Amino acid sequence: MPADRPIRIAVQIQPQHAPYEKIRDVAAELEDAGVDVLFNWDHFYPLYGEKDGLHFESWTMLAALAEQTTRVEIGALVNCNSYRGADLQADMARTIDHISAKGGTGRFIFGTGSGWFERDYDEYGYEFGTVGSRLDDLGEALPRIEERWARLNPAPTRKIPVLIGGGGEKKTLRLVAKHADIWHSFSDAQTLERKLGILAKHAEDVGRDVSEVEISTEIGKRTLAEVEEQVALGATLFTIGMTGPEYDMSGVAEWLSWRDGKNAGR
């Protein structure tokens, strides 16, 4: 990784089991606390807990967060490519980029993936297909999204960072090598090391410097020592997941302090 790339802390505010007013207040509190990125996720139903519990849609929430916030970057971890046409996704991303700019450059991260939660597809009438077909669809969408960004008026305020989530070694990591500014996975250190080698080979094959890709992973229930192992491998973006109704923020301050100490030493 580039020596000057800072450690960053993100929080995924999972949009489930809580009223929107609570989500809005938590986002404000997290921005005030100093987190670098706020993510949600792109689903239509809770992923755990009460299966028909409270839940909100991703993109409309991101537009509201773009207007509400002033400093943090925002995005989905991750958008589902299957739910919206490629050109529409590009236009939505560009619009949120402008909403978030506040007279400067935008703060939107285009996090995307091929989709996996079958209930979303069944309930909303999308074709579920197969893992392979959904990845192929994502591979076809990404160039169209990039081409649409180049034609929109007004143009995005910056090169919108593309985050691709997933760890598939044959298709996903090749898409990361071709298109992503950030790669997100749930890998432990041993798995991450192996997959980084595969990503580097894909990057070589497509003529790209793999160091251009920021490495992102989850803090989850990992210990500090386990997170430090990932830092040693080049990971710099770490996400804390939070679910409603309470959104427990008790550990955020400690991770922000750790981030600041790491960055001060760089």
Side-chain angles (χ1 to χ4, degrees), residues 73-126:
E73 291 190 282
I74 56 172
L77 193 65
V78 287
N79 166 68
C80 179
N81 176 68
S82 306
Y83 302 158
R84 306 161 192 88
D87 295 271
L88 174 61
Q89 291 178 60
D91 203 342
M92 293 164 69
R94 180 280 312 256
T95 299
I96 297 177
D97 167 72
H98 276 264
I99 294 169
S100 68
K102 306 293 179 68
T105 57
R107 296 173 286 115
F108 183 72
I109 296 172
F110 180 66
T112 194
S114 58
W116 63 272
F117 190 42
E118 190 168 2
R119 185 184 182 192
D120 284 346
Y121 289 80
D122 292 344
E123 295 269 9
Y124 277 59
Y126 300 115

Side-chain angles (χ1 to χ4, degrees), residues 25-200:
D25 291 348
V26 167
E29 188 171 348
L30 288 167
E31 181 173 45
D32 289 345
V35 302
D36 299 290
V37 185
L38 295 179
F39 289 121
N40 63 14
W41 66 31
D42 187 19
H43 296 288
F44 305 127
Y45 297 92
L47 295 188
Y48 52 91
E50 169 53 48
K51 68 183 183 68
D52 291 316
L54 298 176
H55 199 279
F56 290 98
E57 193 275 329
S58 172
W59 281 83
T60 45
M61 179 181 293
L62 291 171
L65 291 176
E67 186 63 53
Q68 171 187 334
T69 57
T70 60
R71 181 190 57 78
V72 290
E73 291 190 282
I74 56 172
L77 193 65
V78 287
N79 166 68
C80 179
N81 176 68
S82 306
Y83 302 158
R84 306 161 192 88
D87 295 271
L88 174 61
Q89 291 178 60
D91 203 342
M92 293 164 69
R94 180 280 312 256
T95 299
I96 297 177
D97 167 72
H98 276 264
I99 294 169
S100 68
K102 306 293 179 68
T105 57
R107 296 173 286 115
F108 183 72
I109 296 172
F110 180 66
T112 194
S114 58
W116 63 272
F117 190 42
E118 190 168 2
R119 185 184 182 192
D120 284 346
Y121 289 80
D122 292 344
E123 295 269 9
Y124 277 59
Y126 300 115
E127 181 180 350
F128 189 54
T130 64
V131 172
S133 69
R134 294 193 300 274
L135 279 168
D136 290 342
D137 290 344
L138 179 61
E140 293 174 4
L142 286 165
R144 286 185 60 183
I145 290 166
E146 293 164 350
E147 290 166 6
R148 179 60 61 183
W149 281 338
R151 300 202 304 269
L152 287 169
N153 183 20
T157 67
R158 64 171 179 170
K159 181 191 181 299
I160 296 175
V162 174
L163 179 156
I164 295 177
E169 297 175 3
K170 182 178 179 181
K171 290 185 177 182
T172 303
L173 290 182
R174 186 168 182 84
L175 291 176
V176 171
K178 291 177 68 175
H179 299 283
D181 301 286
I182 306 169
W183 169 50
H184 181 84
S185 75
F186 298 88
S187 304
D188 58 25
Q190 182 177 3
T191 304
L192 182 63
E193 184 173 22
R194 178 172 57 81
K195 289 184 184 289
L196 285 172
I198 295 167
L199 176 59

Side-chain angles (χ1 to χ4, degrees), residues 227-248:
V227 173
E228 290 281 8
E229 287 183 315
Q230 295 181 325
V231 172
L233 291 170
T236 56
L237 177 56
F238 295 90
T239 297
I240 302 165
M242 291 182 183
T243 188
E246 296 303 326
Y247 295 109
D248 180 9

